[in-house]
Amino acid sequence: MSNIELTLSIIKPDAVERNLDIEIKEMFKNKGFSIVKEKKIQIEKSEAEKFYKVHETKPFYNDLCAYLSSGPIVVMVLEKENAVLDNRELMGATNPNDAEEGTIRKKYGISIDKNSVHGSDSVENAKIEIDFFFKD
Ligand code: UDP
Ligand code: MG
């Protein structure tokens, strides 16, 4: 039985700044993801605070929101069989130092905060995050 899912991916400011968006999109396509929606935007810090609200009690929350709003990002809806988990696998561990070979964060991540990509962590959160960026 097929289980086609959508997930939200963000290419974060550190990667867009280094012009890695084309290469990262190729990595998604090579793994069988279709990019069904895509936009390059810069968000306000207040929007980043809403997006990352689940982390509001964490010590890194303020820096994280300042960072996500610090420059252009590429926001995408990815579609594939088991897209949510497969995207998490392709991204690699949150800390690039712990990420497996062949993952986006291993290849391009600079540090735990500048780790190049965001990906939804569940089907439920994917819906919320897709709506956040693409509800017109
Ligand atoms: N983050 C950070 N310091 C930490 C943990 C996380 O700066 O100690 C940042 C990092 O950019 C990460 C984001 O906060 O991607 C969200 O954290 P989460 O645990 O949800 O990791 P992810 O789902 O992005 O792998
Ligand atoms: Mg997360």
Side-chain angles (χ1 to χ4, degrees):
M1 235 181 61
S2 79
N3 180 44
I4 300 291
E5 294 173 352
L6 299 176
T7 192
L8 186 91
S9 171
I10 303 176
I11 304 176
K12 293 183 177 182
D14 68 271
V16 176
E17 181 179 272
R18 288 176 286 153
N19 294 310
L20 296 171
D21 40 321
I22 307 275
E23 279 151 88
I24 291 173
K25 283 193 269 179
E26 281 306 309
M27 288 180 79
F28 288 126
K29 291 178 205 161
N30 290 339
K31 282 280 177 184
F33 291 91
S34 303
I35 301 171
V36 296
K37 287 185 186 169
E38 177 185 347
K39 61 183 177 184
K40 190 177 192 176
I41 54 173
Q42 183 162 355
I43 61 172
E44 299 289 337
K45 186 166 181 236
S46 59
E47 295 176 276
E49 286 165 353
K50 267 184 233 159
F51 180 74
Y52 273 132
K53 194 155 173 52
V54 293
H55 293 304
E56 72 184 330
T57 60
K58 310 272 174 63
F60 57 82
Y61 178 64
N62 184 61
D63 286 350
L64 173 61
C65 296
Y67 168 63
L68 193 70
S69 57
S70 67
I73 57 176
V74 176
V75 188
M76 295 167 291
V77 177
L78 304 180
E79 183 180 65
K80 184 186 174 300
E81 181 103 8
N82 302 317
V84 172
L85 269 178
D86 284 4
N87 179 40
R88 294 295 306 192
E89 193 176 307
L90 178 57
M91 288 164 60
T94 305
N95 187 339
N97 291 330
D98 302 331
E100 304 274 346
E101 282 305 327
T103 63
I104 296 170
R105 284 169 165 171
K106 174 72 177 184
K107 200 164 177 199
Y108 298 122
I110 296 169
S111 58
I112 192 162
D113 47 322
K114 296 187 173 181
N115 59 8
S116 301
V117 279
H118 166 84
S120 308
D121 62 6
S122 66
V123 170
E124 193 186 354
N125 283 333
K127 288 197 182 86
I128 293 167
E129 293 181 357
I130 289 168
D131 263 11
F132 184 89
F133 282 106
F134 290 100
K135 197 159 192 159
D136 301 311

